[in-house]
Amino acid sequence: MGLNGPCGLVLLTCVTVWSLRSPGVSAGASRGPGVSAGASRRPNILLILTDDLDIAIGGLSPLTKTKKLIGDAGISFTNAFVASPLCCPSRASILTGKYPHNHHVINNTLEGNCSSKAWQKSEEAHTFPALLGPPGGAPALLRTYAGYQTFFAGKYLNQYGHSEAGGVEHVPPGWNYWVGLEKNSKYYNYTLSVNGQAETHGADYSKDYLTDVLANRSLDFLQYKSNYQPFFMMVSIPAPHSPWTAAPQYQNSFNATKAPRDPNFNVHGKDKHWLIRQAKTPMTNSSVQFLDDAFRKRWRTLLSVDDLVEKIVKRLEVRAELDNTYIFFTSDNGYHTGQFSLPLDKRQLYEFDIKVPLMVRGPNIKPNQTSQMLVANVDLGPTILDIAGYNVNKTQMDGMSFLPVMEGKMNSSSWRTDILVEYEGEGSTVSDPACPLLGPGVSECFPDCVCEDSYNNTYACVRTVAPSANLQYCEFDDNEVFVEVYNVTADPYQLTNIAKTIDQEVLEKMNHRLMMLQSCSGQSCRTPGVYDTRYKFDPRQMFTSHSWRLSRLRQKLK
């Protein structure tokens, strides 16, 4: 569909709304395709964010055009992780460049600080778009410095638009053009905030299918923006999040596809946290059929994502702007379908939930590269600011710019060796009437009484990727300080928890490192990890306030 396809408003109206609400960046500034402001201008930046797209169970398979246009044209990271495997905390980490313990978004609820008034007053004013874009609630340092015009379209944070958090009238600071989805991912029957004005959509594919709407709004922006300023675009797509509604032309695709039967599919997590152990193994035939069907539906929604990427890249090419544009493609978290007999969800500490795709193309990035260096979503903000020419050290961000990695200016011995993963579990205060034996404290339960979350599914992990180690060390904040440790090189499917057999000295070092990362802020989050040659371990520096954890840990693992 062209520009007169799904827009919700006719094209002229869309442009008029944007122009009226964003003086100084008007349709009149356009000089048509192929006009640029010269080689000295800062690069353009585009961030395409998907919702619940895994990499461990084949999520990139349907995205053939995306892999060709971004991955093959640039660099693919094989060790890209999220700071928390849940939508709102992860998205807050992307926007702020901070770990959850510093941005304080702990789940997808308003009470969990997801797009709450408290978030708006504290962290939202200091996100990287607020630094990059027009004046708002925070100093527009990069707008002054680099003159970026900014565009957002799609899902922001799960509670965005909530009546108790300013409704859709609230436009976060930093954005010239704002097309934000009210609340969580949908494909039809949703409301958009178009620069603070509510715009409702129905169920007509030609006008309302959200992935296509976002594609066409993006094309509109590229057509009518100023050609004398660089731009930053963030396109945040609903797919492949539930309800997994495919475009009509793709509803019969992948009919023979099933969820992958990897070694950790439909097996009991016998040495894992109790929440994983409670899953029923083997799963019932109906459960397997349900997750296979969901797997197919997820892939079908991704075909429209593939179309979106192709449309935007082709438009940039026609406008002679592609060579001066960095394009990032990633996800807010991974996903599982039957791993360790857990039906469908994210939230867990394993690779399938915390590892995400990350592909980038752009100036000075050689094509057909693959990097094993460890990156996290807290690094996206610092990297984008670095591209825009801003000194990231002037921010309070926990992440670091991986621009030198993409440009081949950083070797593995100088790069970080570990990152932090944090998750705070959620549970109900009352028992599920359908599953009374489970008692209170669990949530996200399926009809067969297998639950995906609980209050004490609260954990923190050090994920290490170094020349001498590929390790995951995790501690649960529960009564027993349950520990899970995996040698991911020897055990890529994380079948065997080696917490009770790993060397005691390694265990103590990892425990110490985890405590440090859980209290880190800014530069202290980027200090050398246990398997970094620059790491120094002094047991006398153990935090006294956390010494009980180590003593209990030693007692448990004897």
Side-chain angles (χ1 to χ4, degrees):
M1 295 190 182
L3 288 174
N4 291 317
C7 186
L9 297 171
V10 295
L11 175 61
L12 180 62
T13 306
C14 292
V15 174
T16 302
V17 169
W18 285 342
S19 300
L20 287 174
R21 295 186 66 85
S22 303
V25 187
S26 66
S30 176
R31 293 291 185 271
V35 179
S36 65
S40 62
R41 197 181 75 182
R42 287 282 177 190
N44 307 309
I45 308 163
L46 165 61
L47 171 59
I48 301 173
L49 180 65
T50 54
D51 196 352
D52 285 2
L53 177 62
D54 67 275
I55 190 169
I57 57 173
L60 286 180
S61 297
L63 295 167
T64 55
K65 292 182 285 191
T66 300
K67 288 185 290 185
K68 179 181 179 181
L69 293 170
I70 303 179
D72 294 350
I75 187 168
S76 298
F77 289 88
T78 59
N79 286 306
F81 295 89
V82 295
S84 188
L86 187 64
C87 298
C88 205
S90 179
R91 288 165 180 263
S93 287
I94 291 172
L95 291 164
T96 63
K98 295 179 180 180
Y99 287 118
H101 70 264
N102 286 327
H103 63 57
H104 310 296
V105 177
I106 61 172
N107 57 42
N108 290 341
T109 68
L110 208 61
E111 296 74 20
N113 207 27
C114 180
S115 202
S116 66
K117 283 287 189 181
W119 153 266
Q120 293 169 17
K121 291 178 181 178
S122 58
E123 298 300 325
E124 192 170 64
H126 303 286
T127 61
F128 78 84
L131 296 176
L132 195 67
L141 301 178
L142 278 189
R143 185 195 67 84
T144 302
Y145 184 80
Y148 274 78
Q149 50 192 318
T150 55
F151 167 88
F152 180 90
K155 175 180 172 179
Y156 180 59
L157 300 173
N158 296 55
Q159 297 298 328
Y160 170 76
H162 195 289
S163 59
E164 295 180 19
V168 296
E169 293 77 20
H170 171 69
V171 176
W175 302 101
N176 290 101
Y177 306 130
W178 174 260
V179 186
L181 175 67
E182 182 188 35
K183 298 187 179 176
N184 206 3
S185 284
K186 294 181 179 179
Y187 299 83
Y188 294 114
N189 300 308
Y190 55 85
T191 298
L192 295 176
S193 168
V194 180
N195 292 308
Q197 300 293 320
E199 178 184 291
T200 57
H201 284 257
D204 183 339
Y205 171 72
S206 66
K207 297 186 297 183
D208 301 316
Y209 189 68
L210 183 55
T211 305
D212 289 357
V213 169
L214 300 180
N216 286 302
R217 290 292 172 92
S218 300
L219 299 180
D220 291 345
F221 169 74
L222 290 173
Q223 184 69 23
Y224 290 95
K225 66 176 177 58
S226 167
N227 289 308
Y228 297 96
Q229 295 171 283
F231 63 79
F232 170 67
M233 300 175 66
M234 183 170 176
V235 184
S236 185
I237 307 163
H241 196 284
S242 61
W244 315 307
T245 309
Q249 66 270 30
Y250 297 133
Q251 287 177 354
N252 292 317
S253 301
F254 307 118
N255 280 336
T257 300
K258 294 182 178 181
R261 269 51 170 175
D262 291 331
N264 56 9
F265 179 83
N266 201 13
V267 299
H268 189 245
K270 59 183 182 301
D271 54 8
K272 294 170 170 48
H273 191 245
W274 76 267
L275 184 69
I276 309 302
R277 298 196 306 267
Q278 57 89 37
K280 295 177 172 62
T281 307
M283 293 183 287
T284 63
N285 289 338
S286 60
S287 293
V288 173
Q289 290 171 5
F290 172 74
L291 66 87
D292 279 338
D293 185 52
F295 189 88
R296 285 187 287 271
K297 289 178 178 178
R298 283 168 53 82
W299 274 25
R300 290 167 185 155
T301 67
L302 289 171
L303 294 175
S304 293
V305 176
D306 218 26
D307 292 340
L308 174 147
V309 170
E310 181 183 45
K311 289 176 184 177
I312 295 176
V313 171
K314 294 296 185 185
R315 179 59 56 87
L316 288 168
E317 187 174 33
V318 166
R319 295 182 56 83
E321 293 180 306
L322 182 59
D323 290 344
N324 195 38
T325 301
Y326 286 89
I327 305 177
F328 295 74
F329 183 91
T330 191
S331 176
D332 57 357
N333 48 254
Y335 206 71
H336 57 259
T337 53
Q339 285 66 41
F340 301 125
S341 299
L342 296 171
L344 296 168
D345 203 19
K346 47 268 188 172
R347 305 173 197 268
Q348 311 307 333
L349 59 85
Y350 309 103
E351 297 285 277
F352 43 74
D353 284 358
I354 65 171
K355 182 180 274 192
V356 291
L358 177 59
M359 301 180 287
V360 191
R361 67 172 291 169
N364 303 318
I365 300 178
K366 295 179 180 179
N368 297 304
Q369 290 189 79
T370 300
S371 174
Q372 296 182 353
M373 292 200 200
L374 179 63
V375 294
N377 62 351
V378 293
D379 301 329
L380 288 169
T383 303
I384 290 169
L385 290 177
D386 193 9
I387 291 170
Y390 188 68
N391 183 353
V392 180
N393 291 328
K394 291 184 178 181
T395 73
Q396 297 298 312
M397 293 182 175
D398 302 332
M400 54 198 295
S401 170
F402 55 87
L403 180 59
V405 174
M406 298 192 292
E407 294 182 337
K409 298 177 181 178
M410 178 74 67
N411 58 50
S412 58
S413 63
S414 303
W415 190 245
R416 66 137 74 90
T417 59
D418 63 14
I419 53 126
L420 175 68
V421 179
E422 301 176 290
Y423 179 73
E424 185 157 335
E426 297 178 79
S428 173
T429 56
V430 297
S431 297
D432 187 332
C435 306
L437 295 179
L438 292 175
V442 294
S443 63
E444 306 299 323
C445 298
F446 283 80
D448 57 357
C449 296
V450 174
C451 301
E452 293 272 6
D453 206 5
S454 66
Y455 278 129
N456 66 359
N457 186 38
T458 296
Y459 59 81
C461 305
V462 180
R463 183 66 178 88
T464 300
V465 177
S468 59
N470 187 5
L471 192 74
Q472 185 168 16
Y473 174 91
C474 302
E475 292 181 14
F476 284 83
D477 184 11
D478 59 12
N479 291 334
E480 53 180 336
V481 192
F482 194 85
V483 177
E484 295 189 31
V485 185
Y486 299 95
N487 179 341
V488 184
T489 298
D491 182 19
Y493 295 100
Q494 297 170 295
L495 298 171
T496 304
N497 179 7
I498 60 172
K500 293 186 178 181
T501 58
I502 195 170
D503 182 85
Q504 186 72 22
E505 182 182 356
V506 172
L507 200 68
E508 290 191 9
K509 287 181 178 179
M510 296 306 297
N511 170 264
H512 182 233
R513 179 63 177 165
L514 179 60
M515 289 190 289
M516 288 188 66
L517 286 175
Q518 284 186 278
S519 59
C520 76
S521 179
Q523 177 60 38
S524 62
C525 298
R526 305 189 289 273
T527 54
V530 171
Y531 288 89
D532 192 310
T533 55
R534 298 164 291 183
Y535 177 74
K536 295 181 180 179
F537 175 61
D538 184 353
R540 294 172 298 179
Q541 294 179 348
M542 290 287 190
F543 301 149
T544 55
S545 60
H546 291 280
S547 59
W548 64 272
R549 284 173 56 180
L550 183 60
S551 62
R552 290 175 62 188
L553 189 64
R554 285 172 172 162
Q555 185 177 15
K556 172 181 171 54
L557 298 176
K558 282 181 180 179

